[in-house]
């Protein structure tokens, strides 16, 4: 039972870290990456559909994304969704493919993106700490019920703390890496 609390906490922490990494990957760092368009959804036959399910997205050059829809009739809907997105990009449509030229980031935009990255990192850390608290509460409850001795409860809480420290370190590394990526010209 105490081990299941630990494994549950670990899997929840891993999911938090994965969510942060996905969020960071979708932030524009001045270089073209297909993951920039992961959050874009297109209205396709009345249904909101992720762009990457409607087309092939590639980055043939460092500052260029090419979107090749599998259904040519969706090209104008894709273009509209891109223009509405928060990415601040202007797509060009030649009838077969959509090209997106990624302009270099301004210093102001870089600073703004770094703030967004730090905020996402802090939110992930808060989530990790909440998971730690939930696990520790569970151990305290087991101790009260007599399922765990005081020493066992303390030992499990220390293990949860080590797990928490490890995930917080991984979050810091991911945030620092993305900051460097954004600030590199």
């Amino acid at each position: 039972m105490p081990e299941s609390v630990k494994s549950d906490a670990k899997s929840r922490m891993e999911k938090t870290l994965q969510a942060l990494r996905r969020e960071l990957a979708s932030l524009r760092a001045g270089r073209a990456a297909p993951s920039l368009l992961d959050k874009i959804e297109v209205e396709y036959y009345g249904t909101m559909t992720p762009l990457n399910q409607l087309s092939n997205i590639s980055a043939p050059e460092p500052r260029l994304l090419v979107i090749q829809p599998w259904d040519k009739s969706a090209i104008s809907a894709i273009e509209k969704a891109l223009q509405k997105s928060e990415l601040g990009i202007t797509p060009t449509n030649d009838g077969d493919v959509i090209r997106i030229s990624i302009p270099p980031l301004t210093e102001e935009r870089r600073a703004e993106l770094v703030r967004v990255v730090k905020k996402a990192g802090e939110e992930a850390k808060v989530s990790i700490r909440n998971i730690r608290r939930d696990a520790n509460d569970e151990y305290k409850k087991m101790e009260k019920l007599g399922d765990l001795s005081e020493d066992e409860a303390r030992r499990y809480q220390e293990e949860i703390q080590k797990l928490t420290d490890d995930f917080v370190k991984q979050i810091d590394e991911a945030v620092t890496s993305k900051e460097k990526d954004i600030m590199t010209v």
Side-chain angles (χ1 to χ4, degrees), residues 78-140:
I78 292 172
E79 191 174 17
K80 205 179 297 178
L82 289 167
Q83 287 168 340
K84 278 196 240 174
S85 75
E86 301 168 358
L87 293 174
I89 51 178
T90 310
T92 53
N93 167 3
D94 70 5
D96 288 329
V97 296
I98 296 175
R99 287 181 176 74
I100 301 171
S101 179
I102 307 291
L105 293 171
T106 63
E107 220 30 63
E108 187 180 299
R109 182 70 177 133
R110 286 179 197 277
E112 192 179 308
L113 284 172
V114 166
R115 279 193 297 276
V116 169
V117 167
K118 286 182 177 177
K119 182 175 182 264
E122 276 310 308
E123 288 170 357
K125 285 182 194 177
V126 166
S127 180
I128 295 289
R129 290 181 193 118
N130 287 340
I131 295 166
R132 174 189 63 193
R133 186 196 61 227
D134 293 346
N136 285 342
D137 288 349
E138 204 57 40
Y139 289 135
K140 287 173 187 166

Short mmCIF file of all heavy atoms in Angstrom, two decimals, residues 78-140:
data_model
loop_
_atom_site.label_atom_id
_atom_site.label_comp_id
_atom_site.label_asym_id
_atom_site.label_seq_id
_atom_site.Cartn_x
_atom_site.Cartn_y
_atom_site.Cartn_z
N ILE A 78 -7.10 25.86 -43.04
CA ILE A 78 -5.81 25.80 -42.34
C ILE A 78 -5.19 27.19 -42.29
O ILE A 78 -4.73 27.64 -41.24
CB ILE A 78 -4.86 24.79 -43.04
CG1 ILE A 78 -5.38 23.37 -42.86
CG2 ILE A 78 -3.44 24.93 -42.50
CD1 ILE A 78 -4.63 22.32 -43.66
N GLU A 79 -5.23 27.88 -43.42
CA GLU A 79 -4.66 29.23 -43.48
C GLU A 79 -5.37 30.16 -42.49
O GLU A 79 -4.73 30.92 -41.77
CB GLU A 79 -4.79 29.77 -44.92
CG GLU A 79 -4.00 31.02 -45.15
CD GLU A 79 -4.03 31.45 -46.62
OE1 GLU A 79 -4.90 30.99 -47.38
OE2 GLU A 79 -3.17 32.26 -46.98
N LYS A 80 -6.69 30.06 -42.42
CA LYS A 80 -7.48 30.88 -41.50
C LYS A 80 -7.10 30.59 -40.04
O LYS A 80 -6.92 31.50 -39.23
CB LYS A 80 -8.98 30.61 -41.73
CG LYS A 80 -9.88 31.75 -41.32
CD LYS A 80 -11.35 31.43 -41.60
CE LYS A 80 -11.61 31.23 -43.09
NZ LYS A 80 -13.00 30.88 -43.37
N ALA A 81 -6.97 29.31 -39.71
CA ALA A 81 -6.61 28.91 -38.34
C ALA A 81 -5.22 29.43 -37.97
O ALA A 81 -5.00 29.87 -36.84
CB ALA A 81 -6.66 27.39 -38.20
N LEU A 82 -4.31 29.42 -38.92
CA LEU A 82 -2.95 29.92 -38.66
C LEU A 82 -2.96 31.42 -38.41
O LEU A 82 -2.26 31.92 -37.53
CB LEU A 82 -2.02 29.59 -39.82
CG LEU A 82 -1.65 28.12 -39.97
CD1 LEU A 82 -0.99 27.86 -41.32
CD2 LEU A 82 -0.73 27.68 -38.84
N GLN A 83 -3.77 32.15 -39.19
CA GLN A 83 -3.84 33.60 -39.02
C GLN A 83 -4.47 33.97 -37.67
O GLN A 83 -4.08 34.96 -37.06
CB GLN A 83 -4.64 34.23 -40.16
CG GLN A 83 -3.86 34.22 -41.47
CD GLN A 83 -4.72 34.56 -42.67
OE1 GLN A 83 -5.95 34.46 -42.63
NE2 GLN A 83 -4.07 34.96 -43.76
N LYS A 84 -5.41 33.16 -37.19
CA LYS A 84 -6.08 33.43 -35.92
C LYS A 84 -5.22 33.04 -34.71
O LYS A 84 -5.50 33.47 -33.60
CB LYS A 84 -7.40 32.64 -35.82
CG LYS A 84 -8.55 33.29 -36.54
CD LYS A 84 -9.85 32.67 -36.06
CE LYS A 84 -10.58 32.04 -37.21
NZ LYS A 84 -11.76 31.30 -36.82
N SER A 85 -4.20 32.22 -34.93
CA SER A 85 -3.39 31.72 -33.82
C SER A 85 -2.60 32.83 -33.15
O SER A 85 -2.43 33.91 -33.71
CB SER A 85 -2.42 30.64 -34.32
OG SER A 85 -1.36 31.24 -35.02
N GLU A 86 -2.09 32.54 -31.95
CA GLU A 86 -1.32 33.52 -31.18
C GLU A 86 0.14 33.56 -31.60
O GLU A 86 0.94 34.25 -30.97
CB GLU A 86 -1.38 33.14 -29.69
CG GLU A 86 -2.77 33.09 -29.12
CD GLU A 86 -2.79 32.44 -27.75
OE1 GLU A 86 -1.73 32.00 -27.26
OE2 GLU A 86 -3.88 32.37 -27.17
N LEU A 87 0.50 32.82 -32.62
CA LEU A 87 1.91 32.72 -33.01
C LEU A 87 2.44 33.97 -33.71
O LEU A 87 3.64 34.16 -33.80
CB LEU A 87 2.14 31.49 -33.91
CG LEU A 87 1.93 30.14 -33.25
CD1 LEU A 87 2.03 29.03 -34.28
CD2 LEU A 87 2.93 29.93 -32.13
N GLY A 88 1.55 34.79 -34.22
CA GLY A 88 1.98 36.01 -34.90
C GLY A 88 2.72 35.70 -36.19
O GLY A 88 3.74 36.31 -36.49
N ILE A 89 2.20 34.75 -36.96
CA ILE A 89 2.85 34.36 -38.22
C ILE A 89 1.89 34.60 -39.38
O ILE A 89 0.67 34.58 -39.21
CB ILE A 89 3.26 32.87 -38.20
CG1 ILE A 89 2.08 31.99 -37.76
CG2 ILE A 89 4.46 32.65 -37.30
CD1 ILE A 89 2.36 30.51 -37.75
N THR A 90 2.45 34.85 -40.54
CA THR A 90 1.65 35.07 -41.73
C THR A 90 1.91 33.96 -42.73
O THR A 90 3.01 33.85 -43.26
CB THR A 90 1.99 36.43 -42.38
OG1 THR A 90 1.95 37.43 -41.37
CG2 THR A 90 1.02 36.77 -43.48
N PRO A 91 0.91 33.10 -42.96
CA PRO A 91 1.10 32.00 -43.91
C PRO A 91 0.96 32.47 -45.36
O PRO A 91 0.22 33.43 -45.64
CB PRO A 91 -0.03 31.03 -43.55
CG PRO A 91 -1.08 31.87 -42.90
CD PRO A 91 -0.37 33.05 -42.30
N THR A 92 1.68 31.84 -46.28
CA THR A 92 1.50 32.09 -47.71
C THR A 92 1.05 30.78 -48.34
O THR A 92 1.63 29.73 -48.08
CB THR A 92 2.79 32.60 -48.38
OG1 THR A 92 3.86 31.70 -48.09
CG2 THR A 92 3.16 33.98 -47.90
N ASN A 93 0.02 30.89 -49.16
CA ASN A 93 -0.64 29.73 -49.72
C ASN A 93 -0.45 29.76 -51.23
O ASN A 93 -0.79 30.72 -51.90
CB ASN A 93 -2.13 29.84 -49.34
CG ASN A 93 -3.02 28.90 -50.08
OD1 ASN A 93 -2.58 28.08 -50.87
ND2 ASN A 93 -4.31 29.02 -49.82
N ASP A 94 0.09 28.66 -51.80
CA ASP A 94 0.27 28.62 -53.26
C ASP A 94 -0.71 27.65 -53.91
O ASP A 94 -0.56 27.30 -55.07
CB ASP A 94 1.72 28.30 -53.63
CG ASP A 94 2.13 26.86 -53.32
OD1 ASP A 94 1.25 26.07 -52.90
OD2 ASP A 94 3.31 26.53 -53.52
N GLY A 95 -1.73 27.22 -53.16
CA GLY A 95 -2.73 26.31 -53.72
C GLY A 95 -2.46 24.85 -53.38
O GLY A 95 -3.38 24.06 -53.28
N ASP A 96 -1.19 24.49 -53.22
CA ASP A 96 -0.83 23.11 -52.87
C ASP A 96 -0.31 22.99 -51.45
O ASP A 96 -0.64 22.06 -50.73
CB ASP A 96 0.25 22.57 -53.82
CG ASP A 96 -0.29 22.29 -55.21
OD1 ASP A 96 -1.47 21.94 -55.32
OD2 ASP A 96 0.49 22.43 -56.18
N VAL A 97 0.54 23.93 -51.08
CA VAL A 97 1.14 23.92 -49.75
C VAL A 97 1.05 25.30 -49.12
O VAL A 97 0.86 26.30 -49.82
CB VAL A 97 2.63 23.47 -49.75
CG1 VAL A 97 2.78 22.05 -50.22
CG2 VAL A 97 3.47 24.42 -50.57
N ILE A 98 1.18 25.34 -47.80
CA ILE A 98 1.24 26.62 -47.08
C ILE A 98 2.65 26.75 -46.53
O ILE A 98 3.16 25.83 -45.90
CB ILE A 98 0.20 26.66 -45.94
CG1 ILE A 98 -1.21 26.58 -46.51
CG2 ILE A 98 0.39 27.91 -45.10
CD1 ILE A 98 -2.30 26.49 -45.45
N ARG A 99 3.26 27.88 -46.80
CA ARG A 99 4.59 28.14 -46.28
C ARG A 99 4.49 29.19 -45.19
O ARG A 99 3.76 30.17 -45.33
CB ARG A 99 5.52 28.64 -47.39
CG ARG A 99 5.91 27.55 -48.36
CD ARG A 99 6.86 28.09 -49.44
NE ARG A 99 7.30 27.02 -50.32
CZ ARG A 99 6.54 26.45 -51.25
NH1 ARG A 99 5.30 26.87 -51.42
NH2 ARG A 99 7.01 25.49 -52.01
N ILE A 100 5.24 28.97 -44.12
CA ILE A 100 5.29 29.95 -43.04
C ILE A 100 6.74 30.32 -42.83
O ILE A 100 7.56 29.49 -42.45
CB ILE A 100 4.72 29.37 -41.73
CG1 ILE A 100 3.27 28.92 -41.94
CG2 ILE A 100 4.82 30.38 -40.61
CD1 ILE A 100 2.70 28.15 -40.78
N SER A 101 7.02 31.58 -43.09
CA SER A 101 8.36 32.09 -42.85
C SER A 101 8.42 32.55 -41.39
O SER A 101 7.59 33.34 -40.95
CB SER A 101 8.64 33.26 -43.80
OG SER A 101 9.92 33.76 -43.55
N ILE A 102 9.37 32.04 -40.65
CA ILE A 102 9.50 32.38 -39.23
C ILE A 102 10.49 33.54 -39.11
O ILE A 102 11.68 33.37 -39.34
CB ILE A 102 10.02 31.17 -38.41
CG1 ILE A 102 9.17 29.93 -38.64
CG2 ILE A 102 10.13 31.54 -36.94
CD1 ILE A 102 7.77 29.99 -38.08
N PRO A 103 9.98 34.73 -38.77
CA PRO A 103 10.89 35.88 -38.65
C PRO A 103 11.74 35.76 -37.39
O PRO A 103 11.33 35.11 -36.43
CB PRO A 103 9.94 37.08 -38.55
CG PRO A 103 8.67 36.51 -38.03
CD PRO A 103 8.60 35.08 -38.49
N PRO A 104 12.91 36.39 -37.39
CA PRO A 104 13.72 36.36 -36.17
C PRO A 104 12.97 37.07 -35.04
O PRO A 104 12.22 38.00 -35.28
CB PRO A 104 15.00 37.11 -36.54
CG PRO A 104 14.83 37.62 -37.92
CD PRO A 104 13.53 37.13 -38.47
N LEU A 105 13.17 36.61 -33.81
CA LEU A 105 12.49 37.19 -32.67
C LEU A 105 13.12 38.52 -32.27
O LEU A 105 14.34 38.66 -32.30
CB LEU A 105 12.57 36.24 -31.47
CG LEU A 105 11.82 34.93 -31.59
CD1 LEU A 105 12.17 34.02 -30.43
CD2 LEU A 105 10.33 35.16 -31.63
N THR A 106 12.27 39.46 -31.89
CA THR A 106 12.79 40.73 -31.37
C THR A 106 13.23 40.50 -29.92
O THR A 106 12.80 39.54 -29.28
CB THR A 106 11.69 41.82 -31.39
OG1 THR A 106 10.64 41.40 -30.51
CG2 THR A 106 11.14 42.06 -32.78
N GLU A 107 14.05 41.39 -29.42
CA GLU A 107 14.54 41.29 -28.04
C GLU A 107 13.36 41.30 -27.06
O GLU A 107 13.33 40.55 -26.09
CB GLU A 107 15.47 42.47 -27.77
CG GLU A 107 16.72 42.20 -26.96
CD GLU A 107 17.34 40.82 -27.04
OE1 GLU A 107 17.79 40.38 -28.11
OE2 GLU A 107 17.38 40.16 -26.00
N GLU A 108 12.37 42.16 -27.35
CA GLU A 108 11.19 42.27 -26.50
C GLU A 108 10.40 40.96 -26.48
O GLU A 108 9.97 40.50 -25.42
CB GLU A 108 10.30 43.41 -27.06
CG GLU A 108 9.13 43.78 -26.21
CD GLU A 108 8.34 44.91 -26.85
OE1 GLU A 108 8.91 46.01 -27.04
OE2 GLU A 108 7.16 44.69 -27.17
N ARG A 109 10.23 40.36 -27.65
CA ARG A 109 9.49 39.10 -27.75
C ARG A 109 10.25 37.97 -27.04
O ARG A 109 9.65 37.12 -26.39
CB ARG A 109 9.25 38.76 -29.23
CG ARG A 109 8.45 37.49 -29.45
CD ARG A 109 7.00 37.63 -29.05
NE ARG A 109 6.30 36.40 -29.36
CZ ARG A 109 5.48 35.78 -28.54
NH1 ARG A 109 5.20 36.29 -27.38
NH2 ARG A 109 4.89 34.66 -28.88
N ARG A 110 11.57 37.98 -27.14
CA ARG A 110 12.38 36.97 -26.45
C ARG A 110 12.17 37.07 -24.94
O ARG A 110 11.98 36.05 -24.27
CB ARG A 110 13.87 37.19 -26.74
CG ARG A 110 14.30 36.77 -28.12
CD ARG A 110 15.80 37.07 -28.30
NE ARG A 110 16.17 37.05 -29.69
CZ ARG A 110 16.46 35.96 -30.39
NH1 ARG A 110 16.42 34.79 -29.80
NH2 ARG A 110 16.79 36.03 -31.65
N ALA A 111 12.21 38.30 -24.41
CA ALA A 111 12.02 38.51 -22.97
C ALA A 111 10.63 38.03 -22.55
O ALA A 111 10.46 37.40 -21.49
CB ALA A 111 12.22 39.98 -22.61
N GLU A 112 9.63 38.31 -23.39
CA GLU A 112 8.26 37.88 -23.11
C GLU A 112 8.17 36.35 -23.08
O GLU A 112 7.55 35.77 -22.19
CB GLU A 112 7.35 38.44 -24.21
CG GLU A 112 5.89 38.36 -23.94
CD GLU A 112 5.09 38.95 -25.09
OE1 GLU A 112 5.37 40.11 -25.49
OE2 GLU A 112 4.20 38.25 -25.60
N LEU A 113 8.83 35.70 -24.05
CA LEU A 113 8.82 34.24 -24.10
C LEU A 113 9.53 33.63 -22.89
O LEU A 113 9.08 32.61 -22.35
CB LEU A 113 9.46 33.73 -25.40
CG LEU A 113 8.61 33.86 -26.65
CD1 LEU A 113 9.41 33.51 -27.89
CD2 LEU A 113 7.38 32.97 -26.56
N VAL A 114 10.62 34.26 -22.46
CA VAL A 114 11.33 33.76 -21.28
C VAL A 114 10.42 33.83 -20.06
O VAL A 114 10.39 32.91 -19.24
CB VAL A 114 12.66 34.53 -21.06
CG1 VAL A 114 13.23 34.28 -19.68
CG2 VAL A 114 13.68 34.16 -22.13
N ARG A 115 9.65 34.92 -19.95
CA ARG A 115 8.70 35.04 -18.83
C ARG A 115 7.66 33.91 -18.89
O ARG A 115 7.31 33.32 -17.87
CB ARG A 115 8.00 36.39 -18.85
CG ARG A 115 8.84 37.51 -18.24
CD ARG A 115 8.03 38.76 -17.98
NE ARG A 115 7.48 39.37 -19.17
CZ ARG A 115 8.14 40.21 -19.96
NH1 ARG A 115 9.38 40.55 -19.68
NH2 ARG A 115 7.56 40.72 -21.03
N VAL A 116 7.17 33.62 -20.09
CA VAL A 116 6.18 32.55 -20.26
C VAL A 116 6.79 31.20 -19.85
O VAL A 116 6.15 30.40 -19.16
CB VAL A 116 5.68 32.50 -21.73
CG1 VAL A 116 4.88 31.24 -22.00
CG2 VAL A 116 4.87 33.74 -22.06
N VAL A 117 8.05 30.98 -20.25
CA VAL A 117 8.74 29.73 -19.92
C VAL A 117 8.89 29.60 -18.40
O VAL A 117 8.61 28.55 -17.82
CB VAL A 117 10.12 29.67 -20.62
CG1 VAL A 117 10.98 28.56 -20.05
CG2 VAL A 117 9.95 29.48 -22.12
N LYS A 118 9.32 30.70 -17.76
CA LYS A 118 9.51 30.66 -16.30
C LYS A 118 8.18 30.41 -15.58
O LYS A 118 8.12 29.66 -14.61
CB LYS A 118 10.14 31.96 -15.81
CG LYS A 118 11.62 32.05 -16.15
CD LYS A 118 12.23 33.32 -15.62
CE LYS A 118 13.73 33.32 -15.93
NZ LYS A 118 14.37 34.54 -15.50
N LYS A 119 7.12 31.04 -16.08
CA LYS A 119 5.79 30.86 -15.47
C LYS A 119 5.35 29.40 -15.60
O LYS A 119 4.85 28.80 -14.63
CB LYS A 119 4.78 31.79 -16.15
CG LYS A 119 3.39 31.73 -15.57
CD LYS A 119 2.49 32.76 -16.23
CE LYS A 119 1.11 32.76 -15.63
NZ LYS A 119 0.16 31.97 -16.37
N ALA A 120 5.55 28.82 -16.78
CA ALA A 120 5.19 27.41 -16.98
C ALA A 120 6.00 26.52 -16.05
O ALA A 120 5.47 25.56 -15.47
CB ALA A 120 5.42 27.02 -18.44
N GLY A 121 7.28 26.84 -15.88
CA GLY A 121 8.13 26.07 -14.97
C GLY A 121 7.65 26.16 -13.54
O GLY A 121 7.60 25.16 -12.81
N GLU A 122 7.27 27.37 -13.12
CA GLU A 122 6.77 27.55 -11.75
C GLU A 122 5.47 26.78 -11.53
O GLU A 122 5.27 26.16 -10.49
CB GLU A 122 6.55 29.04 -11.44
CG GLU A 122 7.79 29.76 -11.00
CD GLU A 122 8.55 29.04 -9.87
OE1 GLU A 122 7.95 28.71 -8.84
OE2 GLU A 122 9.76 28.82 -10.04
N GLU A 123 4.58 26.82 -12.53
CA GLU A 123 3.31 26.09 -12.41
C GLU A 123 3.56 24.59 -12.29
O GLU A 123 2.90 23.90 -11.52
CB GLU A 123 2.41 26.39 -13.62
CG GLU A 123 1.83 27.79 -13.59
CD GLU A 123 1.13 28.18 -14.88
OE1 GLU A 123 1.12 27.39 -15.85
OE2 GLU A 123 0.60 29.31 -14.93
N ALA A 124 4.54 24.09 -13.04
CA ALA A 124 4.88 22.66 -12.98
C ALA A 124 5.43 22.32 -11.59
O ALA A 124 5.09 21.28 -11.01
CB ALA A 124 5.89 22.30 -14.06
N LYS A 125 6.27 23.21 -11.03
CA LYS A 125 6.83 22.97 -9.70
C LYS A 125 5.72 22.95 -8.64
O LYS A 125 5.73 22.12 -7.73
CB LYS A 125 7.85 24.05 -9.33
CG LYS A 125 9.17 23.90 -10.05
CD LYS A 125 10.10 25.00 -9.55
CE LYS A 125 11.30 25.16 -10.42
NZ LYS A 125 12.15 26.26 -9.96
N VAL A 126 4.76 23.86 -8.76
CA VAL A 126 3.64 23.90 -7.82
C VAL A 126 2.86 22.58 -7.91
O VAL A 126 2.49 21.99 -6.88
CB VAL A 126 2.71 25.11 -8.11
CG1 VAL A 126 1.38 24.98 -7.39
CG2 VAL A 126 3.41 26.41 -7.72
N SER A 127 2.67 22.11 -9.12
CA SER A 127 1.96 20.85 -9.32
C SER A 127 2.72 19.69 -8.66
O SER A 127 2.12 18.85 -7.98
CB SER A 127 1.78 20.60 -10.81
OG SER A 127 1.11 19.40 -11.04
N ILE A 128 4.03 19.66 -8.84
CA ILE A 128 4.88 18.62 -8.24
C ILE A 128 4.75 18.68 -6.71
O ILE A 128 4.60 17.66 -6.04
CB ILE A 128 6.35 18.79 -8.66
CG1 ILE A 128 6.53 18.55 -10.17
CG2 ILE A 128 7.28 17.88 -7.85
CD1 ILE A 128 6.37 17.14 -10.64
N ARG A 129 4.80 19.89 -6.17
CA ARG A 129 4.70 20.05 -4.70
C ARG A 129 3.33 19.62 -4.18
O ARG A 129 3.22 19.06 -3.09
CB ARG A 129 5.00 21.49 -4.30
CG ARG A 129 6.47 21.85 -4.49
CD ARG A 129 6.77 23.26 -4.07
NE ARG A 129 8.08 23.66 -4.54
CZ ARG A 129 8.33 24.66 -5.37
NH1 ARG A 129 7.33 25.39 -5.83
NH2 ARG A 129 9.56 24.94 -5.74
N ASN A 130 2.29 19.87 -4.97
CA ASN A 130 0.94 19.43 -4.57
C ASN A 130 0.87 17.90 -4.55
O ASN A 130 0.23 17.31 -3.67
CB ASN A 130 -0.13 19.99 -5.52
CG ASN A 130 -0.36 21.47 -5.28
OD1 ASN A 130 -0.04 22.00 -4.23
ND2 ASN A 130 -0.91 22.14 -6.28
N ILE A 131 1.53 17.27 -5.51
CA ILE A 131 1.56 15.81 -5.54
C ILE A 131 2.31 15.28 -4.31
O ILE A 131 1.88 14.33 -3.67
CB ILE A 131 2.22 15.31 -6.86
CG1 ILE A 131 1.35 15.69 -8.06
CG2 ILE A 131 2.45 13.80 -6.82
CD1 ILE A 131 2.02 15.56 -9.42
N ARG A 132 3.41 15.95 -3.96
CA ARG A 132 4.17 15.58 -2.75
C ARG A 132 3.27 15.68 -1.52
O ARG A 132 3.24 14.78 -0.69
CB ARG A 132 5.39 16.49 -2.59
CG ARG A 132 6.14 16.25 -1.26
CD ARG A 132 7.19 17.28 -0.98
NE ARG A 132 6.60 18.61 -0.85
CZ ARG A 132 7.30 19.74 -0.84
NH1 ARG A 132 8.61 19.72 -0.98
NH2 ARG A 132 6.69 20.89 -0.71
N ARG A 133 2.55 16.79 -1.41
CA ARG A 133 1.67 16.99 -0.26
C ARG A 133 0.60 15.89 -0.19
O ARG A 133 0.34 15.34 0.89
CB ARG A 133 0.99 18.37 -0.36
CG ARG A 133 0.18 18.71 0.89
CD ARG A 133 -0.79 19.86 0.68
NE ARG A 133 -1.74 19.49 -0.37
CZ ARG A 133 -2.07 20.27 -1.39
NH1 ARG A 133 -1.57 21.47 -1.53
NH2 ARG A 133 -2.93 19.85 -2.31
N ASP A 134 0.00 15.56 -1.33
CA ASP A 134 -1.01 14.50 -1.35
C ASP A 134 -0.43 13.18 -0.86
O ASP A 134 -1.07 12.48 -0.05
CB ASP A 134 -1.58 14.31 -2.78
CG ASP A 134 -2.38 15.50 -3.26
OD1 ASP A 134 -2.74 16.37 -2.43
OD2 ASP A 134 -2.66 15.57 -4.48
N ALA A 135 0.76 12.84 -1.33
CA ALA A 135 1.39 11.58 -0.92
C ALA A 135 1.71 11.60 0.57
O ALA A 135 1.44 10.61 1.29
CB ALA A 135 2.67 11.34 -1.74
N ASN A 136 2.25 12.71 1.06
CA ASN A 136 2.58 12.81 2.48
C ASN A 136 1.32 12.73 3.35
O ASN A 136 1.33 12.10 4.41
CB ASN A 136 3.35 14.10 2.77
CG ASN A 136 4.80 14.01 2.32
OD1 ASN A 136 5.32 12.92 2.09
ND2 ASN A 136 5.44 15.15 2.16
N ASP A 137 0.23 13.34 2.89
CA ASP A 137 -1.05 13.26 3.62
C ASP A 137 -1.52 11.81 3.71
O ASP A 137 -2.03 11.36 4.74
CB ASP A 137 -2.12 14.12 2.95
CG ASP A 137 -1.89 15.61 3.14
OD1 ASP A 137 -1.02 15.99 3.95
OD2 ASP A 137 -2.59 16.40 2.46
N GLU A 138 -1.32 11.10 2.61
CA GLU A 138 -1.71 9.69 2.55
C GLU A 138 -0.91 8.87 3.57
O GLU A 138 -1.46 8.03 4.30
CB GLU A 138 -1.47 9.17 1.13
CG GLU A 138 -2.28 7.99 0.69
CD GLU A 138 -3.78 8.16 0.78
OE1 GLU A 138 -4.32 9.24 0.45
OE2 GLU A 138 -4.42 7.18 1.20
N TYR A 139 0.40 9.14 3.66
CA TYR A 139 1.25 8.43 4.63
C TYR A 139 0.85 8.77 6.06
O TYR A 139 0.84 7.90 6.93
CB TYR A 139 2.74 8.74 4.40
CG TYR A 139 3.30 8.11 3.14
CD1 TYR A 139 4.10 8.82 2.27
CD2 TYR A 139 3.04 6.78 2.84
CE1 TYR A 139 4.61 8.25 1.12
CE2 TYR A 139 3.54 6.18 1.69
CZ TYR A 139 4.33 6.92 0.83
OH TYR A 139 4.83 6.34 -0.30
N LYS A 140 0.52 10.03 6.31
CA LYS A 140 0.11 10.44 7.66
C LYS A 140 -1.20 9.74 8.05
O LYS A 140 -1.38 9.33 9.20
CB LYS A 140 -0.05 11.96 7.73
CG LYS A 140 1.28 12.70 7.74
CD LYS A 140 1.08 14.20 7.65
CE LYS A 140 2.43 14.89 7.48
NZ LYS A 140 2.28 16.28 7.07
#
